[in-house]
Amino acid sequence: MTAHRAPERLIRPQAAAKPVRWAADTVSTMREGARLRLDYSTQSLWRVDRMIEELRREQTPYAAVESVLRGFGAYAGEVIVRQAQGSAEWLEAGGGHWIRTADGQFWDPVDEARRCFGGHGSLRLLCLDATAI
């Protein structure tokens, strides 16, 4: 979990609209379907990491969970933005959505969710790294 190099061609206006909606949809879906309560806290990302690990252990095909992983990544990004209390923001670049923190670093929580599914990442640790200002 390291910060990424600045993506080329950053777009700010309304960059947060999609990931914020994905995050909200994930919170609602997990509450209703999986009885998993997500409260935008860093601690809740531990539960998300466990859920992704469960999907991986069950050998769920990537195509079946691609949008779920995008939602989990967006949720983690929203946790970062909220924990940073105004010093982090969503940006859109290269077809993806990134978080830029106050120290100028860029984070890709959606990609980190994919890495988690591959057994090589942690949304909780990404959040801790991104908010350790």
Side-chain angles (χ1 to χ4, degrees):
M1 274 113 347
T2 58
H4 294 277
R5 209 172 60 111
E8 296 187 26
R9 261 197 67 216
L10 297 173
I11 301 171
R12 278 191 210 169
Q14 312 248 338
K18 285 183 182 178
V20 169
R21 186 176 64 241
W22 297 333
D25 289 348
T26 297
V27 169
S28 177
T29 300
M30 290 298 108
R31 181 179 54 239
E32 293 169 13
R35 302 277 188 235
L36 178 66
R37 186 158 177 85
L38 300 177
D39 60 3
Y40 293 97
S41 68
T42 304
Q43 295 79 14
S44 70
L45 292 174
W46 182 79
R47 293 188 297 271
V48 173
D49 279 346
R50 276 195 352 216
M51 186 139 223
I52 293 172
E53 173 62 23
E54 221 174 278
L55 292 169
R56 187 174 73 78
R57 258 192 318 229
E58 293 172 358
Q59 298 180 350
T60 308
Y62 177 77
V65 295
E66 185 174 7
S67 65
V68 172
L69 295 173
R70 182 188 68 195
F72 283 148
Y75 173 76
E78 266 303 286
V79 171
I80 292 168
V81 168
R82 291 175 184 209
Q83 294 297 314
Q85 299 176 348
S87 65
E89 64 180 336
W90 281 103
L91 299 171
E92 186 176 342
H97 293 84
W98 300 70
I99 300 290
R100 180 172 56 192
T101 50
D103 58 4
Q105 294 190 69
F106 290 83
W107 307 86
D108 187 346
V110 174
D111 185 57
E112 190 68 17
R114 292 182 194 117
R115 288 175 36 78
C116 290
F117 185 69
H120 308 289
S122 168
L123 293 173
R124 185 179 61 83
L125 293 178
L126 176 78
C127 181
L128 291 174
D129 286 348
T131 58
I133 298 173

